[in-house]
Amino acid sequence: MATAVINTIVSQKELHLTPGGEPASLEVTVVNGSDRFASFGVELTAAGAAENRSSDWYSISPTVSSKKPPGDVTSFRISITDTPVPGFVGLMNVRVRVFSLELPDETREILRLIVEQGIGKTPLQLDLPVQDFQIYPGDRASIPVRVYNPGQLLTYVTLTLTGIDGSWTESTPERHLQVAPGKQAETVFTCQPPFGIQAPSQLHNFAIVATHSNGPASQIEGRLEVLPMGFLDFSATPKTHHIPEKFAWKFWRSNPITYTLEFNNASNLYQEIGVEIGGEDRGKCTIEITPETAQVEPEQVSQLFLTADKKRPWFGKTQKLLLEVAASWSARRVDTRNDKHSLQLSVKPITPLWLQIVGILGIIYLVWWFSWLNPQNPIFGHQDTVNSVQFNGMGERLVSGSNDQRLIEWNVAGFFNPLANQELREINYRGNRYFQWINQQIAKLFRPQESDDKAVRVIRYRPVNNNFVVTGLENGEILVWDLIQKGDRPLALFIAEKDDRVFALEFTQDSRFLFSGHGSGRVHQWDVLKSNLTAGKNRNSLQPMPPMLSQPFDFAISALKFVGRNDRKLAVVGRYNNFVVWDWIEDSQFVVPYRDGGKENYITSIDTAEFNPDLVVTADNQGYITLWNMQPCLSAGGECEIREVWNDGHQGEPVRSVAFSADGCYLVSGGDDGRVMLWPLRPNGTRLVEHSKEIYSLNNRSFNSTDIKVLEEKILIAGGTDDSQEVRLKSEKRLETLGCDAR
């Protein structure tokens, strides 16, 4: 077990101290008599000293020793600079305590300290129990002050309050006290600031100075804040002004008008004032503030003047301009009243209103007639039957082709905003539409009607990037149009036989090959990569590209669609209700059994689901819609499976178009009965009949083309018709809890 021993040697047992003279010094030697490393410290306490008295009456060097090994010695130098008990003269005992942080033992030695009469003058010690005061004008604030006499003599003290207006204090700003040695005395100064300019709201720094005959003067500082009080009021007159202010013979002339802005500073704050002019009509007139700013002392009133001017229009009605005038106060620490005012400025026109009404109504009518808001407008949109519509991959664009030879790209969002123009642009741009329309009217009078051999029968986006569209025309031409580099000429021209009408177009998914179906019964394959579509040749020198492959069929073709899991089997449908699947790579065919039909019977439309290409739908002009599972006949050599067939969807009228959503969960159809129908499907590819829905119903019209796109929570359905509103688009909510679209 470790031995804890501290050996202490005090150099002197008795010291003499004269306050104000040389310090009394001694040395304490400490020997580490233990068997471990230890550090040591020394502390002095005096009999009769206050317990809360700090150790400012002596100093020790070093304060604490470093750790010393056993047997090592540490010397402490102690200097006593002041008496431990203020005002004491005589003999007192001082205890010297030596201790260690590492050892449990400590030693104590008694030192006799003889305190003699001091030779210096001791300053008094002042204390403000509260240094910061806040007060409202008219209220009283009591400032207590304590005086402590650390000297050895009785002293007479004069306390003087400075920094505060003497009129605020009761009686006199001086106090007289008698303070015994080592004792404390207390007194109070009372302040009562008046209201108004004599006591403005601000921070007042004050000081209390103590003077006495036994030492130098002492001072202590404090702060007195006069709190803001009162209110600020703002007014403006008159509330309404007129330009001209009164009738004059020179009625076309007018002078500026003036409003008076009055600021009442009924507070104890100094204010810099100004105004802020706002309101939606602020920029419609000329405004000047005179002067721009002003100073207002407490309990004073000042004025600014607002001058307004506005050029009077020749036409129109009386303009009522509203100006919002807000007071700008530099210090808003009191109640502000009537801070804002609305001023009205009535500006009368030079010409009376009634003279303009007829002309304005005529202009409005002409603007409406030639805008996209007029469904009969001959300038915007198509002017004849729309034969083909298709959404792009993102569903924010739609293209359409018509008998009027126009190709139009539409903004889908515009169909749901009645004030937006749905039409983005005419792809095959042929000059200003207004000039076109005027030329057409002239042609009707002086020239035979134009041939419709360039009517657009079918239009398709390029699957990759959707940056091109391809159109099939009545005269047998196939044109490729660039949607990025806009121009009035196509990128490429494909043609096999002149006047062989193009009824169907189908891209391979990689966009390399394009297949076209014609009225002659031929299907042509075109190599898109070898055309100037990608080579970027001069559009002004387009040469017709011949097909790379042609396949004849013994019926007029109305629609094409790739079926199955690759792009090698092309479904070809058309006259006599023919349904043939052609493997263009192996050049093999097989016929899909369909109901018999004569020369007036057509399978009019065919489509597959992008993500389920074995699911196929066909429609014919006998009113039948058929859902097929093509997987057995495409891969196993069996018979194609009919999932469902019905002919009551369009009241037995011809069905011109059918289209699947990409996931095959929705089917849309349009026909000669003027209706578009939405058919939700089950996962097995059959209808949820009870949830079918009529999207459009027109009288004596037909839908020639439809398309569908599912986006997030909605279904977009587009249709092309032969009425005055040739392209229609509608949004429906998804049925996410039913059928194959359930999530």
Side-chain angles (χ1 to χ4, degrees):
M1 181 176 179
T3 301
V5 178
I6 301 175
N7 297 319
T8 304
I9 302 173
V10 179
S11 63
Q12 292 177 260
K13 295 293 186 176
E14 183 176 291
L15 291 175
H16 289 263
L17 174 66
T18 302
E22 292 293 328
S25 301
L26 74 156
E27 188 173 287
V28 176
T29 304
V30 181
V31 180
N32 183 5
S34 70
D35 58 355
R36 68 181 71 176
F37 279 81
S39 59
F40 301 93
V42 178
E43 180 184 63
L44 272 63
T45 57
E51 294 183 359
N52 59 355
R53 177 77 188 273
S54 62
S55 59
D56 57 353
W57 53 278
Y58 70 91
S59 63
I60 300 177
S61 178
T63 306
V64 179
S65 73
S66 60
K67 286 189 177 182
K68 301 290 186 176
D72 206 349
V73 176
T74 302
S75 295
F76 294 90
R77 183 71 178 176
I78 301 175
S79 295
I80 301 176
T81 58
D82 198 2
T83 173
V85 180
F88 178 82
V89 177
L91 175 64
M92 68 168 56
N93 291 329
V94 176
R95 182 181 293 110
V96 181
R97 173 176 170 261
V98 180
F99 59 92
S100 173
L101 298 177
E102 292 77 22
L103 303 177
D105 291 350
E106 65 178 36
T107 62
R108 302 190 181 198
E109 299 289 340
I110 299 300
L111 173 69
R112 291 165 55 86
L113 179 64
I114 300 173
V115 181
E116 299 177 352
Q117 185 68 42
I119 61 175
K121 292 186 177 181
T122 305
L124 299 175
Q125 297 178 5
L126 301 181
D127 177 43
L128 283 177
V130 180
Q131 290 185 324
D132 295 300
F133 298 86
Q134 291 183 326
I135 185 173
Y136 286 101
D139 292 345
R140 293 185 178 183
S142 297
I143 305 175
V145 58
R146 297 170 184 164
V147 183
Y148 176 71
N149 181 10
Q152 298 171 322
L153 300 174
L154 176 68
T155 185
Y156 295 91
V157 183
T158 299
L159 299 177
T160 304
L161 176 64
T162 63
I164 293 180
D165 192 328
S167 63
W168 297 9
T169 59
E170 292 184 350
S171 64
T172 174
E174 289 188 353
R175 299 290 185 271
H176 301 281
L177 299 174
Q178 178 179 301
V179 186
K183 298 299 180 179
Q184 177 179 284
E186 184 174 341
T187 188
V188 174
F189 289 92
T190 302
C191 294
Q192 186 177 19
F195 180 83
I197 194 171
Q198 294 180 349
S201 175
Q202 63 185 47
L203 189 64
H204 300 266
N205 294 313
F206 67 87
I208 297 177
V209 180
T211 56
H212 66 120
S213 59
N214 297 328
S218 302
Q219 178 176 305
I220 191 168
E221 296 179 349
R223 291 167 294 276
L224 175 65
E225 181 182 4
V226 178
L227 297 174
M229 189 175 182
F231 65 90
L232 308 173
D233 191 22
F234 173 56
S235 62
T237 54
K239 298 296 184 183
T240 302
H241 245 316
H242 302 272
I243 296 179
E245 195 167 1
K246 59 183 180 179
F247 178 78
W249 288 110
K250 296 181 180 180
F251 59 89
W252 59 90
R253 294 183 179 179
S254 57
N255 297 318
I257 51 86
T258 301
Y259 298 88
T260 300
L261 311 178
E262 187 170 278
F263 297 79
N264 180 14
N265 182 12
S267 73
N268 61 343
L269 293 167
Y270 285 95
Q271 297 286 346
E272 181 176 348
I273 59 171
V275 291
E276 296 177 359
I277 310 299
E280 59 183 14
D281 299 326
R282 167 63 179 86
K284 298 179 181 180
C285 57
T286 303
I287 293 175
E288 182 180 358
I289 305 296
T290 308
E292 291 186 359
T293 60
Q295 301 291 333
V296 188
E297 295 183 346
E299 298 183 287
Q300 298 296 315
V301 177
S302 184
Q303 290 180 340
L304 302 181
F305 299 95
L306 186 156
T307 302
D309 194 11
K310 174 73 169 71
K311 185 177 180 180
R312 296 167 62 195
W314 279 95
F315 304 100
K317 63 179 182 179
T318 299
Q319 299 180 15
K320 294 184 178 180
L321 307 182
L322 291 178
L323 303 176
E324 297 292 335
V325 183
S328 174
W329 304 92
S330 60
R332 289 179 172 268
R333 293 185 291 160
V334 293
D335 179 33
T336 56
R337 303 176 182 178
N338 306 311
D339 209 29
K340 294 182 179 180
H341 290 277
S342 295
L343 305 181
Q344 181 173 298
L345 176 60
S346 296
V347 182
K348 299 177 182 179
I350 297 175
T351 305
L353 177 62
W354 65 270
L355 293 177
Q356 308 164 54
I357 293 178
V358 174
I360 292 175
L361 291 177
I363 292 173
I364 292 175
Y365 178 77
L366 290 175
V367 170
W368 171 82
W369 176 260
F370 287 103
S371 74
W372 65 86
L373 301 175
N374 176 16
Q376 305 296 330
N377 188 339
I379 306 301
F380 291 93
H382 291 292
Q383 306 305 316
D384 208 338
T385 300
V386 173
N387 297 312
S388 183
V389 295
Q390 187 186 20
F391 287 108
N392 70 351
M394 299 298 294
E396 86 279 7
R397 297 287 185 267
L398 178 75
V399 290
S400 62
S402 168
N403 284 346
D404 65 0
Q405 306 179 22
R406 286 178 175 172
L407 309 175
I408 295 178
E409 186 176 24
W410 305 86
N411 175 19
V412 170
F415 283 86
F416 306 104
N417 183 351
L419 299 180
N421 189 357
Q422 305 100 325
E423 183 180 336
L424 286 177
R425 63 189 173 103
E426 185 179 359
I427 297 172
N428 54 338
Y429 181 71
R430 296 175 295 168
N432 185 280
R433 287 195 171 186
Y434 292 95
F435 294 151
Q436 287 185 51
W437 179 76
I438 294 173
N439 290 333
Q440 289 173 0
Q441 306 312 307
I442 296 175
K444 289 179 181 180
L445 296 174
F446 301 103
R447 295 194 301 268
Q449 188 171 356
E450 293 183 3
S451 171
D452 61 352
D453 62 346
K454 290 186 179 288
V456 181
R457 304 297 305 179
V458 60
I459 184 168
R460 287 290 178 267
Y461 274 109
R462 181 191 187 194
V464 176
N465 298 329
N466 294 160
N467 54 343
F468 303 132
V469 292
V470 181
T471 59
L473 306 185
E474 184 78 16
N475 64 358
E477 293 181 355
I478 300 173
L479 299 175
V480 182
W481 300 90
D482 190 350
L483 297 180
I484 305 300
Q485 300 295 330
K486 302 176 183 178
D488 59 353
R489 292 185 60 82
L491 287 176
L493 168 64
F494 303 142
I495 186 168
E497 294 183 33
K498 188 69 174 177
D499 297 327
D500 189 5
R501 294 181 296 174
V502 184
F503 286 110
L505 294 171
E506 181 73 359
F507 271 106
T508 56
Q509 286 301 310
D510 60 6
S511 298
R512 178 179 180 181
F513 299 116
L514 174 69
F515 290 81
S516 60
H518 297 258
S520 65
R522 286 189 172 273
V523 174
H524 299 300
Q525 181 188 14
W526 313 89
D527 191 341
V528 179
L529 291 181
K530 289 184 179 180
S531 71
N532 58 356
L533 173 66
T534 55
K537 295 181 179 178
N538 187 349
R539 300 184 183 186
N540 295 322
S541 59
L542 286 178
Q543 296 297 323
M545 296 286 295
M548 62 179 297
L549 177 64
S550 294
Q551 178 67 36
F553 291 87
D554 57 358
F555 56 90
I557 297 170
S558 56
L560 301 174
K561 195 68 182 180
F562 281 109
V563 296
R565 299 291 172 176
N566 52 49
D567 286 341
R568 63 183 298 162
K569 292 182 173 60
L570 184 66
V572 184
V573 299
R575 196 174 189 181
Y576 298 103
N577 285 347
N578 278 297
F579 187 169
V580 179
V581 177
W582 171 42
D583 187 328
W584 61 275
I585 296 178
E586 295 183 356
D587 194 19
S588 62
Q589 303 178 14
F590 68 86
V591 177
V592 178
Y594 201 87
R595 69 183 58 82
D596 293 336
K599 64 178 182 179
E600 302 299 328
N601 301 128
Y602 284 83
I603 298 178
T604 55
S605 181
I606 185 171
D607 197 21
T608 62
E610 180 181 352
F611 303 142
N612 184 11
D614 291 330
L615 181 63
V616 175
V617 62
T618 59
D620 59 41
N621 64 355
Q622 295 167 281
Y624 286 91
I625 300 174
T626 306
L627 290 169
W628 304 80
N629 176 17
M630 301 294 290
Q631 197 274 336
C633 55
L634 293 178
S635 60
E639 293 186 359
C640 298
E641 176 188 352
I642 295 178
R643 289 286 175 85
E644 188 173 359
V645 58
W646 68 96
N647 72 339
D648 57 350
H650 291 273
Q651 304 173 1
E653 294 290 325
V655 180
R656 298 297 177 184
S657 176
V658 287
F660 271 126
S661 62
D663 56 7
C665 292
Y666 299 95
L667 172 67
V668 65
S669 61
D672 283 358
D673 62 342
R675 296 196 303 162
V676 172
M677 297 294 297
L678 176 66
W679 311 95
L681 303 180
R682 297 185 179 90
N684 65 357
T686 59
R687 290 180 300 161
L688 286 163
V689 180
E690 64 276 15
H691 294 287
S692 63
K693 187 172 183 179
E694 181 181 271
I695 304 302
Y696 288 112
S697 179
L698 305 177
N699 293 326
N700 302 319
R701 298 295 182 183
S702 64
F703 278 90
N704 304 308
S705 178
T706 58
D707 198 12
I708 184 172
K709 179 68 67 173
V710 178
L711 297 175
E712 297 180 352
E713 306 300 322
K714 61 185 178 181
I715 307 169
L716 298 178
I717 300 168
T721 71
D722 56 1
D723 67 347
S724 59
Q725 187 179 342
E726 291 83 2
V727 176
R728 298 173 182 269
L729 192 147
K730 195 170 183 181
S731 174
E732 295 289 333
K733 293 187 64 175
R734 291 175 63 176
L735 303 177
E736 298 182 349
T737 59
L738 300 172
C740 71
D741 198 25
R743 293 195 292 179

PDB file of all heavy atoms in Angstrom, residues 64-86:
ATOM      1  N   VAL A  64       0.365  25.699  -9.279  1.00  0.00           N
ATOM      2  CA  VAL A  64       0.356  24.255  -8.980  1.00  0.00           C
ATOM      3  C   VAL A  64       1.636  23.688  -9.544  1.00  0.00           C
ATOM      4  O   VAL A  64       2.037  24.024 -10.659  1.00  0.00           O
ATOM      5  CB  VAL A  64      -0.871  23.540  -9.596  1.00  0.00           C
ATOM      6  CG1 VAL A  64      -0.819  22.055  -9.290  1.00  0.00           C
ATOM      7  CG2 VAL A  64      -2.165  24.122  -9.068  1.00  0.00           C
ATOM      8  N   SER A  65       2.303  22.829  -8.786  1.00  0.00           N
ATOM      9  CA  SER A  65       3.548  22.234  -9.262  1.00  0.00           C
ATOM     10  C   SER A  65       3.268  21.106 -10.229  1.00  0.00           C
ATOM     11  O   SER A  65       2.156  20.567 -10.280  1.00  0.00           O
ATOM     12  CB  SER A  65       4.363  21.699  -8.080  1.00  0.00           C
ATOM     13  OG  SER A  65       3.760  20.515  -7.568  1.00  0.00           O
ATOM     14  N   SER A  66       4.274  20.771 -11.009  1.00  0.00           N
ATOM     15  CA  SER A  66       4.178  19.579 -11.850  1.00  0.00           C
ATOM     16  C   SER A  66       4.364  18.344 -10.978  1.00  0.00           C
ATOM     17  O   SER A  66       4.720  18.435  -9.799  1.00  0.00           O
ATOM     18  CB  SER A  66       5.239  19.635 -12.947  1.00  0.00           C
ATOM     19  OG  SER A  66       6.532  19.690 -12.370  1.00  0.00           O
ATOM     20  N   LYS A  67       4.089  17.169 -11.546  1.00  0.00           N
ATOM     21  CA  LYS A  67       4.245  15.938 -10.767  1.00  0.00           C
ATOM     22  C   LYS A  67       5.722  15.697 -10.453  1.00  0.00           C
ATOM     23  O   LYS A  67       6.574  15.768 -11.335  1.00  0.00           O
ATOM     24  CB  LYS A  67       3.655  14.754 -11.524  1.00  0.00           C
ATOM     25  CG  LYS A  67       2.124  14.742 -11.535  1.00  0.00           C
ATOM     26  CD  LYS A  67       1.608  13.446 -12.114  1.00  0.00           C
ATOM     27  CE  LYS A  67       0.082  13.402 -12.043  1.00  0.00           C
ATOM     28  NZ  LYS A  67      -0.458  12.126 -12.561  1.00  0.00           N
ATOM     29  N   LYS A  68       5.971  15.430  -9.170  1.00  0.00           N
ATOM     30  CA  LYS A  68       7.343  15.214  -8.689  1.00  0.00           C
ATOM     31  C   LYS A  68       7.506  13.762  -8.250  1.00  0.00           C
ATOM     32  O   LYS A  68       6.579  13.157  -7.688  1.00  0.00           O
ATOM     33  CB  LYS A  68       7.646  16.140  -7.510  1.00  0.00           C
ATOM     34  CG  LYS A  68       7.507  17.639  -7.824  1.00  0.00           C
ATOM     35  CD  LYS A  68       8.609  18.109  -8.748  1.00  0.00           C
ATOM     36  CE  LYS A  68       8.545  19.629  -8.947  1.00  0.00           C
ATOM     37  NZ  LYS A  68       9.670  20.101  -9.767  1.00  0.00           N
ATOM     38  N   PRO A  69       8.730  13.198  -8.453  1.00  0.00           N
ATOM     39  CA  PRO A  69       8.968  11.818  -7.993  1.00  0.00           C
ATOM     40  C   PRO A  69       9.144  11.797  -6.463  1.00  0.00           C
ATOM     41  O   PRO A  69       9.297  12.836  -5.814  1.00  0.00           O
ATOM     42  CB  PRO A  69      10.248  11.439  -8.733  1.00  0.00           C
ATOM     43  CG  PRO A  69      10.944  12.730  -8.972  1.00  0.00           C
ATOM     44  CD  PRO A  69       9.876  13.752  -9.191  1.00  0.00           C
ATOM     45  N   PRO A  70       9.113  10.631  -5.890  1.00  0.00           N
ATOM     46  CA  PRO A  70       9.314  10.514  -4.431  1.00  0.00           C
ATOM     47  C   PRO A  70      10.640  11.152  -4.026  1.00  0.00           C
ATOM     48  O   PRO A  70      11.665  10.985  -4.678  1.00  0.00           O
ATOM     49  CB  PRO A  70       9.302   9.008  -4.187  1.00  0.00           C
ATOM     50  CG  PRO A  70       8.488   8.451  -5.320  1.00  0.00           C
ATOM     51  CD  PRO A  70       8.806   9.312  -6.489  1.00  0.00           C
ATOM     52  N   GLY A  71      10.567  11.945  -2.951  1.00  0.00           N
ATOM     53  CA  GLY A  71      11.752  12.590  -2.413  1.00  0.00           C
ATOM     54  C   GLY A  71      12.092  13.919  -3.044  1.00  0.00           C
ATOM     55  O   GLY A  71      12.985  14.618  -2.559  1.00  0.00           O
ATOM     56  N   ASP A  72      11.426  14.311  -4.091  1.00  0.00           N
ATOM     57  CA  ASP A  72      11.735  15.567  -4.765  1.00  0.00           C
ATOM     58  C   ASP A  72      11.107  16.739  -3.999  1.00  0.00           C
ATOM     59  O   ASP A  72      10.169  16.583  -3.219  1.00  0.00           O
ATOM     60  CB  ASP A  72      11.219  15.543  -6.189  1.00  0.00           C
ATOM     61  CG  ASP A  72      12.034  16.489  -7.073  1.00  0.00           C
ATOM     62  OD1 ASP A  72      12.813  17.264  -6.528  1.00  0.00           O
ATOM     63  OD2 ASP A  72      11.844  16.422  -8.315  1.00  0.00           O
ATOM     64  N   VAL A  73      11.652  17.975  -4.240  1.00  0.00           N
ATOM     65  CA  VAL A  73      11.282  19.168  -3.475  1.00  0.00           C
ATOM     66  C   VAL A  73      10.643  20.185  -4.429  1.00  0.00           C
ATOM     67  O   VAL A  73      11.107  20.369  -5.556  1.00  0.00           O
ATOM     68  CB  VAL A  73      12.516  19.789  -2.796  1.00  0.00           C
ATOM     69  CG1 VAL A  73      12.140  21.097  -2.081  1.00  0.00           C
ATOM     70  CG2 VAL A  73      13.129  18.811  -1.812  1.00  0.00           C
ATOM     71  N   THR A  74       9.588  20.873  -3.946  1.00  0.00           N
ATOM     72  CA  THR A  74       8.930  21.958  -4.683  1.00  0.00           C
ATOM     73  C   THR A  74       8.893  23.189  -3.793  1.00  0.00           C
ATOM     74  O   THR A  74       8.486  23.108  -2.625  1.00  0.00           O
ATOM     75  CB  THR A  74       7.509  21.575  -5.075  1.00  0.00           C
ATOM     76  OG1 THR A  74       7.536  20.392  -5.874  1.00  0.00           O
ATOM     77  CG2 THR A  74       6.854  22.695  -5.865  1.00  0.00           C
ATOM     78  N   SER A  75       9.278  24.356  -4.369  1.00  0.00           N
ATOM     79  CA  SER A  75       9.268  25.611  -3.618  1.00  0.00           C
ATOM     80  C   SER A  75       8.193  26.530  -4.167  1.00  0.00           C
ATOM     81  O   SER A  75       8.095  26.725  -5.386  1.00  0.00           O
ATOM     82  CB  SER A  75      10.638  26.301  -3.706  1.00  0.00           C
ATOM     83  OG  SER A  75      11.630  25.520  -3.069  1.00  0.00           O
ATOM     84  N   PHE A  76       7.373  27.102  -3.277  1.00  0.00           N
ATOM     85  CA  PHE A  76       6.320  28.043  -3.630  1.00  0.00           C
ATOM     86  C   PHE A  76       6.666  29.397  -3.046  1.00  0.00           C
ATOM     87  O   PHE A  76       7.036  29.500  -1.868  1.00  0.00           O
ATOM     88  CB  PHE A  76       4.958  27.591  -3.091  1.00  0.00           C
ATOM     89  CG  PHE A  76       4.439  26.326  -3.721  1.00  0.00           C
ATOM     90  CD1 PHE A  76       4.742  25.082  -3.171  1.00  0.00           C
ATOM     91  CD2 PHE A  76       3.664  26.383  -4.867  1.00  0.00           C
ATOM     92  CE1 PHE A  76       4.257  23.923  -3.750  1.00  0.00           C
ATOM     93  CE2 PHE A  76       3.174  25.233  -5.441  1.00  0.00           C
ATOM     94  CZ  PHE A  76       3.471  23.996  -4.894  1.00  0.00           C
ATOM     95  N   ARG A  77       6.539  30.471  -3.851  1.00  0.00           N
ATOM     96  CA  ARG A  77       6.784  31.839  -3.408  1.00  0.00           C
ATOM     97  C   ARG A  77       5.438  32.512  -3.199  1.00  0.00           C
ATOM     98  O   ARG A  77       4.628  32.614  -4.133  1.00  0.00           O
ATOM     99  CB  ARG A  77       7.584  32.605  -4.457  1.00  0.00           C
ATOM    100  CG  ARG A  77       7.944  34.019  -4.056  1.00  0.00           C
ATOM    101  CD  ARG A  77       9.004  34.028  -2.972  1.00  0.00           C
ATOM    102  NE  ARG A  77       9.390  35.394  -2.616  1.00  0.00           N
ATOM    103  CZ  ARG A  77      10.238  35.686  -1.642  1.00  0.00           C
ATOM    104  NH1 ARG A  77      10.778  34.682  -0.938  1.00  0.00           N
ATOM    105  NH2 ARG A  77      10.561  36.929  -1.379  1.00  0.00           N
ATOM    106  N   ILE A  78       5.146  33.007  -1.984  1.00  0.00           N
ATOM    107  CA  ILE A  78       3.860  33.606  -1.630  1.00  0.00           C
ATOM    108  C   ILE A  78       4.086  35.080  -1.335  1.00  0.00           C
ATOM    109  O   ILE A  78       4.974  35.438  -0.559  1.00  0.00           O
ATOM    110  CB  ILE A  78       3.223  32.905  -0.427  1.00  0.00           C
ATOM    111  CG1 ILE A  78       3.016  31.412  -0.732  1.00  0.00           C
ATOM    112  CG2 ILE A  78       1.894  33.562  -0.071  1.00  0.00           C
ATOM    113  CD1 ILE A  78       2.503  30.619   0.449  1.00  0.00           C
ATOM    114  N   SER A  79       3.234  35.960  -1.982  1.00  0.00           N
ATOM    115  CA  SER A  79       3.276  37.403  -1.734  1.00  0.00           C
ATOM    116  C   SER A  79       1.900  37.842  -1.270  1.00  0.00           C
ATOM    117  O   SER A  79       0.908  37.649  -1.978  1.00  0.00           O
ATOM    118  CB  SER A  79       3.675  38.172  -2.997  1.00  0.00           C
ATOM    119  OG  SER A  79       4.985  37.857  -3.383  1.00  0.00           O
ATOM    120  N   ILE A  80       1.822  38.479  -0.065  1.00  0.00           N
ATOM    121  CA  ILE A  80       0.567  39.010   0.460  1.00  0.00           C
ATOM    122  C   ILE A  80       0.567  40.498   0.163  1.00  0.00           C
ATOM    123  O   ILE A  80       1.430  41.244   0.631  1.00  0.00           O
ATOM    124  CB  ILE A  80       0.431  38.732   1.965  1.00  0.00           C
ATOM    125  CG1 ILE A  80       0.483  37.214   2.222  1.00  0.00           C
ATOM    126  CG2 ILE A  80      -0.862  39.323   2.502  1.00  0.00           C
ATOM    127  CD1 ILE A  80       0.453  36.833   3.693  1.00  0.00           C
ATOM    128  N   THR A  81      -0.429  40.949  -0.639  1.00  0.00           N
ATOM    129  CA  THR A  81      -0.451  42.328  -1.132  1.00  0.00           C
ATOM    130  C   THR A  81      -1.478  43.197  -0.436  1.00  0.00           C
ATOM    131  O   THR A  81      -1.412  44.425  -0.525  1.00  0.00           O
ATOM    132  CB  THR A  81      -0.728  42.333  -2.636  1.00  0.00           C
ATOM    133  OG1 THR A  81      -1.973  41.668  -2.865  1.00  0.00           O
ATOM    134  CG2 THR A  81       0.370  41.602  -3.409  1.00  0.00           C
ATOM    135  N   ASP A  82      -2.460  42.605   0.242  1.00  0.00           N
ATOM    136  CA  ASP A  82      -3.528  43.401   0.848  1.00  0.00           C
ATOM    137  C   ASP A  82      -4.030  42.658   2.071  1.00  0.00           C
ATOM    138  O   ASP A  82      -3.807  41.446   2.238  1.00  0.00           O
ATOM    139  CB  ASP A  82      -4.665  43.623  -0.142  1.00  0.00           C
ATOM    140  CG  ASP A  82      -5.570  44.772   0.272  1.00  0.00           C
ATOM    141  OD1 ASP A  82      -5.287  45.404   1.295  1.00  0.00           O
ATOM    142  OD2 ASP A  82      -6.567  45.021  -0.453  1.00  0.00           O
ATOM    143  N   THR A  83      -4.715  43.407   2.945  1.00  0.00           N
ATOM    144  CA  THR A  83      -5.259  42.796   4.146  1.00  0.00           C
ATOM    145  C   THR A  83      -6.432  41.897   3.780  1.00  0.00           C
ATOM    146  O   THR A  83      -7.268  42.252   2.940  1.00  0.00           O
ATOM    147  CB  THR A  83      -5.722  43.871   5.138  1.00  0.00           C
ATOM    148  OG1 THR A  83      -6.397  43.221   6.222  1.00  0.00           O
ATOM    149  CG2 THR A  83      -6.690  44.853   4.494  1.00  0.00           C
ATOM    150  N   PRO A  84      -6.508  40.707   4.348  1.00  0.00           N
ATOM    151  CA  PRO A  84      -7.637  39.808   4.041  1.00  0.00           C
ATOM    152  C   PRO A  84      -8.960  40.371   4.522  1.00  0.00           C
ATOM    153  O   PRO A  84      -9.998  40.066   3.941  1.00  0.00           O
ATOM    154  CB  PRO A  84      -7.283  38.519   4.772  1.00  0.00           C
ATOM    155  CG  PRO A  84      -5.813  38.589   5.027  1.00  0.00           C
ATOM    156  CD  PRO A  84      -5.488  40.044   5.206  1.00  0.00           C
ATOM    157  N   VAL A  85      -8.951  41.193   5.580  1.00  0.00           N
ATOM    158  CA  VAL A  85     -10.174  41.769   6.126  1.00  0.00           C
ATOM    159  C   VAL A  85     -10.098  43.275   5.915  1.00  0.00           C
ATOM    160  O   VAL A  85      -9.255  43.947   6.516  1.00  0.00           O
ATOM    161  CB  VAL A  85     -10.332  41.441   7.618  1.00  0.00           C
ATOM    162  CG1 VAL A  85     -11.607  42.059   8.159  1.00  0.00           C
ATOM    163  CG2 VAL A  85     -10.318  39.937   7.849  1.00  0.00           C
ATOM    164  N   PRO A  86     -10.934  43.848   5.031  1.00  0.00           N
ATOM    165  CA  PRO A  86     -10.863  45.284   4.757  1.00  0.00           C
ATOM    166  C   PRO A  86     -11.022  46.103   6.046  1.00  0.00           C
ATOM    167  O   PRO A  86     -11.891  45.818   6.875  1.00  0.00           O
ATOM    168  CB  PRO A  86     -12.018  45.514   3.788  1.00  0.00           C
ATOM    169  CG  PRO A  86     -12.248  44.189   3.130  1.00  0.00           C
ATOM    170  CD  PRO A  86     -11.941  43.171   4.180  1.00  0.00           C
TER     171      PRO A  86
END
